[in-house]
Amino acid sequence: MQICNNIGTNKNGHLTFAGFDTVALAKKYGTPLYLMDESKIREKMRAYKSAMKAYFPDGSMPLYASKAASFKHIYKIASEEKIGIDVVSVGEIFTALKSGYDLATAYFHGNNKTDEEIEFAIRHNVGHFVIDSIGELEAVDREAEKQGKIQRVLLRITPGIDAHTNKKIATGNVDSKFGVAIATGQAEEFAADALKYKNIEISGYHCHVGSQVFDAEPFVDAVDIMMDFAHRVKEKYGYEPEILNLGGGFGVRYVASQPELDIKNSIKDVAKVLYRKCSELGMNIPKILMEPGRSIVADAGMTLYTVGSVKEITNFKNYVAIDGGMTDNPRYTLYDAEYTVITASKATLEPKYRCSVVGKCCESGDIIQENVHIAKPERGDIIAVLTTGAYNYSMASNYNRIAKPPIVMLRGSEDYVAVKRETLDDLIRNDI
Ligand SMILES: *Cc1c(COP(=O)(O)O)cnc(C)c1O
């Protein structure tokens, strides 16, 4: 059984992705190659959108956390699917703008927005800023006044939930570099302060509990804590939020041992608690925003590589080296991220060969995955790394002056280039 329903094998013994023969795609476009299944991206966006529409108040909506994969075409898809976006830099804002995305439904995040970024975002009418600190309020207010605008904002609050352990920990995330903590009392001061600025209008609150969350629990805890907080602010200062943004972090199945997230039922569970909590507190029910990033694009992606050297160190280990590595997927190097690896050109053979799949960079840590079992490859075979749609292209670098791979999108029976392969000339473009 494959980890996602867009993966299979064909009569040539090749791995298929979204119905395409991966070996044929590798031949057509060269390797390394990022593939993206456009139907899967749209399916995920629609799943969030319809569940949120069904269970949350009108105006609730998913925002695609575009740091997971940011390029013009993905914003075009978000625009066509009528969902919001979360952006974290002027570069992401610029990319969205150039794709034709209407920035009214963009939410500008980041713990350290520069004055230049604030100026740019206000000038291009980014709908909301997610304000991360008291000092940022002042900077945004000043710029909004200069441009004669009222900037709508959410306040980023740290609820003190550690999603990785699925437990409320009173001080758990208080020391995060993001947001302002409830536990220290500073979040209330933050809200009180925000209400004073003439060129800022607060729409509500934001929180983000972590990543790889597979059930509703951390979001349910977040609703509980955030609505209690909102209630205290209402009692003290008379302000009630129109929006509650619960952040992202929905889990993705990278390997078969991980579960598959039930988007609809998770959202239903969160909604149940939201309605109950608001009625207990006598609060209006806020519109809910959620910011799925990886869960929208991860399993819509796959990376193909060509095998070069196969090195067997007698009595130690086997290395399979591919023509990419940490430059196109730094996630194992960064945090031991798990991936499923398959010999795409021998996809129906028993995966019995134990090896470490490594890249071509001059770093011992340049590893795609350690100790996986794949069909034994030889030079020229195609290797597929699954579920690479999130945080691969967006984290890619040019280390060792390696050019970034292209992104080829698969839609129905059509395959097309969404991002071109970098050329040698691209690599020296800014060298004087
Ligand atoms: C990273 C991030 C997300 C998206 O997280 P995923 O794990 O990709 O869903 C959403 N919101 C904020 C504020 C983030 O920092």
Side-chain angles (χ1 to χ4, degrees):
M1 193 200 59
Q2 292 298 352
I3 58 171
C4 186
N5 64 5
N6 54 4
I7 290 165
T9 51
N10 65 15
K11 60 181 189 319
N12 300 325
H14 295 167
L15 188 73
T16 61
F17 187 50
F20 287 79
D21 184 316
T22 55
V23 177
L25 288 170
K27 196 164 175 193
K28 179 171 175 182
Y29 293 103
T31 58
L33 174 63
Y34 294 121
L35 298 175
M36 288 203 99
D37 173 358
E38 185 173 326
S39 318
K40 181 58 81 183
I41 297 171
R42 290 182 189 271
E43 176 192 312
K44 291 291 184 68
M45 287 179 177
R46 287 172 196 173
Y48 280 106
K49 202 177 157 191
S50 67
M52 292 183 71
K53 197 175 151 84
Y55 298 111
F56 290 139
D58 280 353
S60 298
M61 129 166 112
L63 314 177
Y64 166 56
S66 66
K67 70 176 195 265
S70 175
F71 52 100
K72 279 163 67 179
H73 206 78
I74 205 101
Y75 295 108
K76 224 180 276 170
I77 294 173
S79 176
E80 285 166 9
E81 296 296 334
K82 298 190 170 54
I83 70 166
I85 55 169
D86 137 7
V87 287
V88 294
S89 70
V90 83
E92 287 184 358
I93 295 171
F94 182 72
T95 309
L97 190 65
K98 288 292 174 180
S99 79
Y101 187 89
D102 177 0
L103 295 175
T105 46
Y107 289 71
F108 185 19
H109 273 278
N111 68 311
N112 185 22
K113 303 172 187 76
T114 65
D115 289 343
E116 291 74 21
E117 286 180 309
I118 291 169
E119 188 277 330
F120 186 91
I122 295 177
R123 180 152 49 88
H124 290 288
N125 304 312
V126 166
H128 278 86
F129 276 56
V130 182
I131 304 282
D132 198 86
S133 64
I134 289 188
E136 192 184 310
L137 281 168
E138 203 178 312
V140 172
D141 181 71
R142 201 182 318 125
E143 185 58 38
E145 179 167 32
K146 216 188 272 176
Q147 297 192 29
K149 289 176 178 167
I150 304 288
Q151 182 60 51
R152 286 167 68 89
V153 307
L154 300 179
L155 304 180
R156 180 156 182 172
I157 305 295
T158 313
I161 296 170
D162 186 343
H164 300 285
T165 54
N166 266 14
K167 279 197 185 82
K168 273 186 255 190
I169 299 178
T171 56
N173 262 356
V174 172
D175 59 354
S176 164
K177 81 166 181 175
F178 300 104
V180 180
I182 294 176
T184 59
Q186 287 166 300
E188 275 182 45
E189 289 169 36
F190 186 29
D193 196 55
L195 290 164
K196 292 183 195 146
Y197 290 96
K198 284 203 300 289
N199 307 290
I200 283 180
E201 185 185 326
I202 318 178
S203 299
Y205 304 121
H206 170 278
C207 64
H208 175 67
V209 294
S211 61
Q212 279 297 79
V213 175
F214 285 101
D215 55 46
E217 195 186 316
F219 296 103
V220 163
D221 290 347
V223 164
D224 199 43
I225 294 171
M226 293 297 289
M227 287 314 300
D228 278 333
F229 168 73
H231 184 244
R232 283 197 302 278
V233 172
K234 186 188 170 190
E235 299 274 281
K236 269 194 177 161
Y237 307 105
Y239 170 73
E240 206 170 341
E242 179 198 333
I243 293 174
L244 176 61
N245 183 331
L246 294 173
F250 288 96
V252 163
R253 192 175 194 199
Y254 290 102
V255 290
S257 58
Q258 289 167 330
E260 198 166 356
L261 172 76
D262 184 340
I263 295 173
K264 192 172 165 201
N265 278 313
S266 301
I267 284 172
K268 191 174 164 186
D269 290 347
V270 177
K272 230 184 284 171
V273 171
L274 175 73
Y275 279 82
R276 193 179 63 219
K277 186 80 186 176
C278 289
S279 121
E280 276 168 23
L281 294 171
M283 301 276 286
N284 294 324
I285 299 147
K287 292 174 196 166
I288 299 294
L289 301 177
M290 287 180 146
E291 303 173 319
R294 80 182 64 228
S295 67
I296 286 184
V297 285
D299 55 20
M302 175 186 282
T303 310
L304 301 179
Y305 302 101
T306 303
V307 173
S309 94
V310 178
K311 186 178 288 184
E312 302 189 342
I313 306 176
T314 311
N315 297 332
F316 285 92
K317 66 196 287 189
N318 303 323
Y319 282 106
V320 170
I322 43 91
D323 57 352
M326 63 187 282
T327 45
D328 59 79
N329 183 359
R331 292 190 72 250
Y332 187 85
T333 305
L334 277 174
Y335 31 67
D336 296 340
E338 292 181 286
Y339 282 103
T340 301
V341 183
I342 295 174
T343 306
S345 44
K346 294 174 173 162
T348 49
L349 301 188
E350 277 283 302
K352 283 193 303 208
Y353 188 67
R354 182 181 159 99
C355 59
S356 289
V357 177
V358 299
K360 67 198 295 295
C361 291
C362 302
E363 299 282 335
S364 297
D366 175 20
I367 296 166
I368 290 291
Q369 205 64 204
E370 289 242 65
N371 300 324
V372 286
H373 288 88
I374 60 178
K376 187 175 179 181
E378 51 198 332
R379 192 176 183 90
D381 269 319
I382 302 298
I383 292 279
V385 179
L386 277 48
T387 332
T388 56
Y391 306 109
N392 274 234
Y393 172 70
S394 64
M395 284 188 166
S397 78
N398 290 122
Y399 180 53
N400 285 181
R401 285 256 142 157
I402 291 171
K404 288 179 196 163
I407 300 176
V408 166
M409 306 282 289
L410 308 173
R411 178 177 59 195
S413 59
E414 186 196 0
D415 48 292
Y416 65 96
V417 177
V419 178
K420 287 191 285 190
R421 185 182 297 283
E422 279 185 345
T423 63
L424 293 176
D425 281 325
D426 289 333
L427 292 173
I428 58 162
R429 174 146 298 155
N430 296 321
D431 294 12
I432 307 291

